[in-house]
Amino acid sequence: MRNRKMKDALFYWTMLGSLAFILAVFSVILIVVFSKGFPALRWSLIFQLPKSGYYLGQDGGVANAILGTLYLSSGAVLVSIILALPAAIALQKDYTSPRFAQFTRLILDVLWGTPSIVYGAIGFAIMVYLGIRASLLGGIFALSLVMLPLMIRSMDEVIRIVPEELRETPLALGSTRFEMVRAVLLKQAFPGILTAVLLALGRGIGDAASVLFTAGFTDNLPGSLMDPVASLPLAVFFQIGSPLKEVQQRAYASAMILLFLILVINIVSRILEKRFTRHTIR
Amino acid sequence: MSVLLFRRFKDQIVTMSLRGILVGVLILSAGLLGILLLKSAPMISDFPLSKLIFSAAWNPWKGQFGLSAFIVASLGVAIIALIFASPVSLLAALYLSECANRRLRNALRLPIDILAGVPSVVFGLVGVIVIIPSVSILSRLCGRDTTGYSILSGGILLAIMIMPYILSLSLEVLLSLPAEAREAAIALGATRWETVRHVVLKRSVVGLVAAVVLGFARAFGETIAVMMVVGNVAKIPHSAFDPAYPLPALIANNFGELMSIPRFDSALFLAALVLMIIVGIFSLAAQAVLHHIGRI
Amino acid sequence: MPHIAIRNLNVQCGDHQILKDVNCDIPDGCIVAIVGPSGCGKTTLLKSLNRLLDLNEDAKIQGQVLLDGSDIYGESSDVLSLRKKVGFMAQRPYPLPMSIQDNVSFGPKIHGLPDTSHGMVERYLRLAGLWEEVKDRLDSPAAKLSIGQQQRLALARTLAVEPEVILADEPTSALDPISVKIVEHQFRLLKSQYTIVLVTHILRQARRLADHVIFMYSGELVEQGPAESFFAAPKDERTRAYLSGEIS
């Protein structure tokens, strides 16, 4: 009996220890980035473009990369929504046979797991074929490929859980399928759809591999879709590669900005999820 | 009547467009694979596949394009990551599913989600400043003097990156187990450990394996962070302290110069294809299992 | 008021035969109760009357349901106008995820009815006996109503598309006793203008409300008739057993 209890206690503490370890790792990451980056964080870093010699320790900031990342990921989010929302609705049993839907879901889940560097390479191949150089357009295209499966599947999941009886309500009144979708599915799943969009946005902001050779990098802001554009993850990556201490420190400060963006998106998505449940039927 | 006709017409149009877009997305996905095949075709037709996959001779300047060093490196970092990450993540998931109440679970959702969403490059930074020096010290303790840029560092970093991912996947699997299954064992006087061992693990082992395999697939394809700590030397590593050159890093580092050497671009697309196929096979198997469990 | 006649109706779901050769004429302008033990096919029979059964992709339907002589499963039948003519109330009220007012006006709007005004909303909320309770908060979410109020809202919503027949699937089973009383009262008021078909597993409710009773048992229509004679002098052995509580 004592033996059994001891085993149980040992098991309990290893489980708890593991969880504590993961949370500790999480804190270490935050502490390292913040303690290294905070001394180098200036308003100029956020609001200024890199001046000449920035990468040699001269003045300036990474506003090009911050804005570039926002351009890239919001562009890709827009493109993805236009395709993902209809596709997610088409996956519902109201539109598709369950077997085909199940097959498609599996394919999309596999695509979701495909490394973004692969999407970057494919995007690049298509750009070369079309004669497009590394640009905002190319970056948005590659990033959309990364986002699309993730967005379709997370929208699909939140629409799928709308109860059967709720779908029947408007149909019993003589509505068409589309009228039912608008009155019930989209309204009921709206908070979840928002979360799915923000999830994709967060993934887009942090993704470096897909924009590495499709978006290029520049110290300026893009003037058009055909101009190259900088991105925050790549700015971090290039600055840490510098041998100069000041520049390396700015890499950490830039990473802080990046983390801050991700944090804000996560928190905003949680707030919105609660805010928009006014009409939701439970 | 005209209202009715119009409504029907609108519904038909919408139905057709929705289905059309879904099918379009599927065709696009197939097209992506097609492009990879097309671009790596010159390589596959000019060299025997065995030479491409199993040869470690990578000398693009001499026309040698063996990918095995890169494949081994990718497998190496991913396996090391799995060895470190899976016990910790599974145990933490077990704590959350078996011991924690719903409030704690909900409270931890935010940090775990944020941790899973931390950009790869940030992990890379932390790896450079924390993991590299630690591994360097460790190597000295083991009697080898290295910089720390090694397959071990890559593995440890990847382990940290996939922990939250395996944790949330396996937590989902564990929570889908009905409470009655546990109650039966507990009612017989089993301790928590005995319940987990004889009931929980037995019934969810397939799903947990799938979660771990998905973690492996994720680690296999991770690019930027690994590239920052793994050393990027195109040789088959012989010990954990040796530097290595995983497939994603190969693609990321060399894409810029691919026009200058003949066939180089095709070789890189072949690397991307190999990457996609390996990751695809693992995640297809794991997802199929998870979908199957979800449907019961 | 249209006349509903069911001819040789068979419904199969996978290997399971849910309805076996059902034949009957639904009397017009009164409350018809379908009673029987759970799983006997009551709800399926009800849902077959406005083709809600079509939503179940496993269900195979054979036979005819004649609405004023034309088969609703026939080629020329239009399911949207059928469902407008034959309204349906579910067991649990599921309000649409919108305001109280929009719930009522949803149907008239999609069908392009001429009157979608505030007055129309009021008229149907009064008809469902809900107006006094909600008149000050028509814009608040329907989800905020109590379940009894939600069911009356569902009634108002069904009435607002101007149906001629109302199908109700155990409409009071999820409600508290007071709400049950209100809903039953509304049904009695409505029966002069509508044909009401009500599924219930509560015999006392059938006694209270029904003018005509249909008894189903394991997919078969066993017996039907005017309420008084049905309860006073059941003909079939199974009906007698059911009424005496031996089977339920």
Side-chain angles (χ1 to χ4, degrees):
Chain A
M1 192 62 206
R2 255 194 64 183
N3 191 15
R4 284 176 64 202
K5 276 202 172 149
M6 270 182 44
K7 250 190 202 165
D8 195 48
L10 184 69
F11 176 58
Y12 180 81
W13 288 107
T14 28
M15 287 193 299
L16 190 58
S18 302
L19 183 63
F21 177 75
I22 291 179
L23 294 176
V25 166
F26 180 54
S27 337
V28 165
I29 288 169
L30 291 186
I31 290 167
V32 166
V33 172
F34 278 58
S35 67
K36 279 277 192 180
F38 197 73
L41 193 63
R42 311 256 184 292
W43 288 118
S44 62
L45 189 76
I46 303 174
F47 292 111
Q48 285 184 7
L49 295 178
K51 295 189 175 148
S52 62
Y54 173 80
Y55 296 102
L56 299 169
Q58 301 294 312
D59 277 350
V62 289
N64 60 329
I66 299 173
L67 281 174
T69 279
L70 293 179
Y71 286 165
L72 280 167
S73 39
S74 46
V77 160
L78 280 182
V79 173
S80 304
I81 291 177
I82 292 170
L83 294 174
L85 192 56
I89 296 169
L91 270 176
Q92 305 307 307
K93 65 185 272 272
D94 312 275
Y95 286 98
T96 312
S97 78
R99 280 187 69 178
F100 178 73
Q102 215 56 40
F103 166 77
T104 310
R105 288 186 174 115
L106 186 60
I107 297 291
L108 289 170
D109 281 345
V110 172
L111 287 175
W112 183 343
T114 301
S116 58
I117 186 84
V118 172
Y119 289 117
I122 296 171
F124 185 78
I126 295 173
M127 284 163 59
V128 168
Y129 181 75
L130 295 176
I132 303 171
R133 281 180 312 136
S135 59
L136 182 55
L137 182 69
I140 288 177
F141 177 67
L143 212 46
S144 306
L145 294 180
V146 175
M147 281 183 188
L148 201 53
L150 153 122
M151 217 192 247
I152 298 178
R153 280 295 281 130
S154 31
M155 286 182 177
D156 168 39
E157 286 297 320
V158 294
I159 299 175
R160 195 144 67 126
I161 55 173
V162 175
E164 186 57 40
E165 293 88 344
L166 201 51
R167 298 172 185 223
E168 260 180 35
T169 302
L171 291 174
L173 290 170
S175 81
T176 61
R177 251 190 312 206
F178 177 52
E179 286 157 354
M180 180 277 287
V181 167
R182 278 209 343 203
V184 170
L185 293 192
L186 293 185
K187 281 219 166 112
Q188 180 79 1
F190 186 67
I193 291 173
L194 264 184
T195 314
V197 169
L198 286 169
L199 188 74
L201 182 66
R203 170 109 192 234
I205 285 178
D207 200 87
S210 65
V211 295
L212 188 59
F213 17 83
T214 52
F217 200 85
T218 167
D219 284 350
N220 297 308
L221 291 172
S224 81
L225 277 174
M226 292 304 174
D227 288 342
V229 59
S231 53
L232 201 46
L234 288 183
V236 174
F237 182 67
F238 292 142
Q239 291 177 93
I240 196 69
S242 155
L244 296 171
K245 251 280 149 329
E246 297 98 315
V247 181
Q248 284 189 7
Q249 267 205 336
R250 284 189 204 148
Y252 285 92
S254 313
M256 257 178 85
I257 302 171
L258 189 53
L259 268 184
F260 179 74
L261 288 177
I262 299 291
L263 214 68
V264 167
I265 287 175
N266 263 284
I267 290 167
V268 165
S269 91
R270 242 144 264 242
I271 293 171
L272 289 183
E273 218 179 328
K274 288 209 179 86
R275 272 288 293 271
F276 285 98
T277 50
R278 200 171 110 93
H279 283 298
T280 308
I281 312 295
R282 260 179 279 269
Chain B
M1 197 59 207
S2 67
V3 175
L4 189 61
L5 275 178
F6 178 66
R7 287 170 63 208
R8 282 208 167 281
F9 178 69
K10 202 161 88 178
D11 190 54
Q12 293 271 299
I13 297 282
V14 171
T15 303
M16 264 158 42
S17 350
L18 293 178
R19 285 185 180 144
I21 288 175
L22 181 61
V23 171
V25 167
L26 282 177
I27 292 173
L28 175 74
S29 322
L32 298 183
L33 187 63
I35 287 167
L36 271 190
L37 281 169
L38 205 69
K39 289 297 248 179
S40 43
M43 213 20 59
I44 299 172
S45 65
D46 287 3
F47 298 91
L49 205 56
S50 61
K51 202 163 187 182
L52 292 170
I53 306 282
F54 296 111
S55 156
W58 173 260
N59 294 306
W61 304 269
K62 293 184 197 157
Q64 290 176 308
F65 297 100
L67 289 176
S68 92
F70 306 100
I71 298 174
V72 168
S74 281
L75 284 174
V77 284
I79 289 170
I80 293 174
L82 216 55
I83 291 170
F84 286 117
S86 38
V88 178
S89 327
L90 291 179
L91 283 164
L94 277 172
Y95 181 83
L96 288 177
S97 76
E98 308 304 310
C99 307
N101 55 22
R102 185 173 309 158
R103 255 183 61 198
L104 180 65
R105 273 203 294 272
N106 285 339
L108 288 182
R109 238 185 77 198
L110 185 65
I112 290 171
D113 282 0
I114 294 176
L115 185 57
V118 169
S120 171
V121 71
V122 176
F123 281 107
L125 280 191
V126 177
V128 169
I129 202 152
V130 179
I131 298 175
I132 295 295
S134 318
V135 169
S136 177
I137 292 168
L138 186 70
S139 75
R140 243 166 276 150
L141 291 178
C142 296
R144 299 226 359 227
D145 195 9
T146 70
T147 54
Y149 288 93
S150 63
I151 193 167
L152 180 61
S153 305
I156 294 173
L157 187 57
L158 279 174
I160 293 171
M161 293 180 69
I162 61 174
M163 273 185 331
Y165 185 61
I166 299 181
L167 171 60
S168 31
L169 279 171
S170 47
L171 184 58
E172 232 170 87
V173 170
L174 290 170
L175 289 180
S176 71
L177 204 65
E180 298 86 46
R182 299 183 180 95
E183 277 159 15
I186 292 169
L188 290 172
T191 63
R192 198 157 20 205
W193 162 237
E194 286 156 354
T195 311
V196 167
R197 210 188 114 189
H198 297 294
V199 179
V200 177
L201 286 186
K202 212 174 223 167
R203 292 194 50 175
S204 53
V205 63
V206 187
L208 295 179
V209 169
V212 169
V213 168
L214 281 179
F216 177 83
R218 164 69 64 93
F220 200 90
E222 184 46 59
T223 310
I224 300 287
V226 187
M227 200 164 122
M228 291 165 77
V229 299
V230 81
N232 301 334
V233 174
K235 262 194 215 150
I236 291 187
H238 293 290
S239 91
F241 294 117
D242 286 346
Y245 209 159
L247 278 170
L250 168 75
I251 303 168
N253 274 331
N254 294 290
F255 233 76
E257 43 187 303
L258 51 67
M259 297 310 168
S260 52
I261 303 162
R263 299 184 191 288
F264 198 22
D265 65 333
S266 184
L268 289 182
F269 279 110
L270 179 66
L273 181 66
V274 170
L275 185 59
M276 188 178 187
I277 288 174
I278 295 177
V279 171
I281 287 172
F282 280 107
S283 62
L284 185 65
Q287 291 288 3
V289 165
L290 289 180
H291 280 229
H292 183 70
I293 296 173
R295 246 185 291 169
I296 291 170
Chain C
M1 236 170 274
H3 180 74
I4 299 176
I6 302 165
R7 297 281 176 266
N8 306 324
L9 187 66
N10 281 285
V11 175
Q12 204 165 0
C13 202
D15 302 332
H16 184 57
Q17 180 97 24
I18 304 175
L19 292 183
K20 296 171 197 160
D21 219 19
V22 174
N23 278 289
C24 83
D25 277 79
I26 307 270
D28 313 338
C30 63
I31 298 183
V32 179
I34 305 176
V35 299
S38 58
C40 68
K42 299 180 298 236
T43 300
T44 307
L45 180 61
L46 193 72
K47 282 189 170 181
S48 72
L49 300 184
N50 77 341
R51 292 185 53 180
L52 267 186
L53 215 51
D54 295 15
L55 299 180
N56 183 345
E57 60 264 357
D58 297 330
K60 266 200 234 122
I61 305 155
Q62 282 168 332
Q64 289 181 316
V65 175
L66 303 172
L67 192 72
D68 283 339
S70 66
D71 184 11
I72 65 169
Y73 290 98
E75 292 271 308
S76 60
S77 147
D78 181 88
V79 70
L80 300 187
S81 20
L82 167 73
R83 286 180 186 155
K84 179 184 170 303
K85 212 185 268 184
V86 183
F88 179 85
M89 276 178 78
Q91 195 165 9
R92 274 201 52 199
Y94 275 90
L96 300 169
M98 44 183 88
S99 72
I100 295 174
Q101 175 160 269
D102 291 345
N103 258 275
V104 181
S105 60
F106 173 79
K109 275 184 189 149
I110 58 166
H111 287 291
L113 299 186
D115 188 5
T116 56
S117 66
H118 185 78
M120 181 277 303
V121 172
E122 175 177 345
R123 194 165 67 244
Y124 287 110
L125 283 172
R126 278 188 192 282
L127 213 49
L130 186 61
W131 172 253
E132 290 301 323
E133 291 159 64
V134 299
K135 62 182 175 191
D136 301 326
R137 46 175 175 144
L138 292 175
D139 282 325
S140 72
K144 291 238 168 74
L145 295 175
S146 78
I147 205 162
Q149 292 170 325
Q150 286 182 8
Q151 191 61 297
R152 279 176 281 151
L153 180 64
L155 180 60
R157 190 177 58 200
T158 307
L159 295 176
V161 296
E162 298 169 5
E164 293 162 47
V165 178
I166 297 170
L167 310 175
D169 183 12
E170 304 193 16
T172 60
S173 67
L175 308 189
D176 60 284
I178 293 170
S179 302
V180 173
K181 224 175 137 186
I182 301 175
V183 171
E184 287 187 2
H185 178 66
Q186 297 304 329
F187 273 19
R188 262 186 230 110
L189 294 180
L190 291 169
K191 75 172 174 185
S192 60
Q193 303 156 52
Y194 302 91
T195 298
I196 299 174
V197 185
L198 174 84
V199 160
T200 181
H201 66 277
I202 311 160
L203 270 176
R204 263 177 301 175
Q205 184 171 52
R207 282 180 208 269
R208 282 196 299 265
L209 284 177
D211 305 301
H212 188 92
V213 183
I214 295 172
F215 175 60
M216 301 281 299
Y217 190 78
S218 70
E220 285 173 57
L221 193 156
V222 173
E223 185 170 348
Q224 60 161 325
E228 297 104 71
S229 61
F230 178 87
F231 287 115
K235 295 182 203 88
D236 195 279
E237 192 55 45
R238 287 167 289 181
T239 318
R240 233 168 289 157
Y242 181 70
L243 289 179
S244 66
E246 283 165 44
I247 50 177
S248 61

